[in-house]
Amino acid sequence: MNRRTFIGGGLGLCAGAMMLPALSQTATQESDLLEMELGSGIVSIRLFSDRAPGHVRRIKVLAQARFYDGMPFARVIKDFMAQTGDPGNMSRIDPRQLPPLAAEFSTLPFERGTVGMARSRHPHSATHQFFITTNRARYLDQNYTVFGKVTAGMDLIDQLQGGTHETGKVLNPETIKRLRLASARSVWRVSES
C-alpha cells in the first residue's frame, strides 16, 4: 500500500448528520485559529477560510461538537504525516452520516506543518479525517485539500509515536485531549509570542 491510498482509509460516505446544521451557523463566525491540546502541549493551527471554506466550516463544526476530543492519531508515518479523525465507535457523531465535501484544491503546497483533509480515492469524498504533514509532500499538491497550517507546536507533532512502516497504523496512539476554536484572547496570545 502506498502513501496516497492509505490517507483516505475507512471514510464513511452517506447523507447528512442531524446536529451539524445547527452548529454550522455559529462556527463560521468564530476565529480561524484552532488549539489542539495533546498530552505534551498545545498545537495551534491557522485555518484558511479563504482557500477552503467548506472544509474549514466542517472542521469548525466538528470541533464545536467536540468530535475530535479523545481522537487518536491512529496513523503516523515518519517523515511524512500524522493522521487523526477516525473515531471507531467512540463518537456521538456517526461520521458515516456526514455528507462528503467537494474538493477545494488550491496552489498551496503540502510542506511541513500543512493541514490537509484525508479522503478516499475519489477527490470529493473527504468528511472528517485530517492529517498534518511533517515534511514536504509534493505529490499531494493540488490532489488533496489544504485547509490550514500549524503555527505553533509542530515539535509536538514530530514527537507522536510512529506507526508501522507500510500503513502507519499506531498500536498505542496519542490522543487529542481537546480541539477547540481559539477565543479572541487565545488569538492575541499567539500573535504576541
Side-chain angles (χ1 to χ4, degrees):
M1 177 182 292
N2 68 31
R3 291 178 179 179
R4 290 182 190 182
T5 57
F6 95 92
I7 289 177
L11 293 177
L13 304 174
C14 292
M18 300 286 284
M19 72 187 301
L20 292 182
L23 293 172
S24 182
Q25 191 80 8
T26 56
T28 57
Q29 300 166 0
E30 298 289 331
S31 162
D32 271 346
L33 186 69
L34 287 176
E35 288 185 341
M36 180 171 55
E37 183 181 347
L38 303 177
S40 53
I42 303 288
V43 177
S44 297
I45 300 169
R46 172 70 58 198
L47 299 173
F48 301 144
S49 292
D50 57 332
R51 297 294 188 107
H55 287 72
V56 168
R57 190 174 318 108
R58 173 68 56 84
I59 293 296
K60 286 181 175 184
V61 167
L62 290 174
Q64 196 172 33
R66 301 176 186 228
F67 175 77
Y68 295 104
D69 293 6
M71 196 69 64
F73 272 95
R75 292 184 178 186
V76 178
I77 297 180
K78 183 177 170 26
D79 297 324
F80 175 45
M81 64 93 233
Q83 182 174 334
T84 188
D86 187 6
N89 295 323
M90 59 177 266
S91 177
R92 297 182 321 235
I93 297 172
D94 181 354
R96 294 171 299 179
Q97 297 297 313
L98 298 173
L101 295 163
E104 295 175 302
F105 300 150
S106 70
T107 57
L108 293 172
F110 276 92
E111 54 193 14
R112 179 173 165 73
T114 299
V115 185
M117 202 69 147
R119 62 172 176 81
S120 71
R121 291 182 186 194
H122 188 279
H124 308 293
S125 62
T127 56
H128 60 286
Q129 293 189 48
F130 67 89
F131 60 94
I132 300 170
T133 53
T134 54
N135 264 330
R136 181 74 170 96
R138 283 182 172 77
Y139 60 89
L140 298 178
D141 292 353
Q142 299 180 30
N143 288 307
Y144 286 81
T145 298
V146 172
F147 70 88
K149 179 84 174 190
V150 172
T151 58
M154 195 59 203
D155 57 319
L156 305 176
I157 300 300
D158 291 334
Q159 294 169 17
L160 293 172
Q161 179 183 341
T164 61
H165 180 66
E166 263 311 292
T167 66
K169 183 177 179 176
V170 180
L171 296 178
N172 294 307
E174 177 153 0
T175 60
I176 298 171
K177 287 188 168 201
R178 56 185 216 105
L179 180 69
R180 298 285 185 276
L181 292 167
S183 65
R185 174 187 281 167
S186 297
V187 172
W188 287 114
R189 186 182 73 230
V190 169
S191 62
E192 290 172 355
S193 47

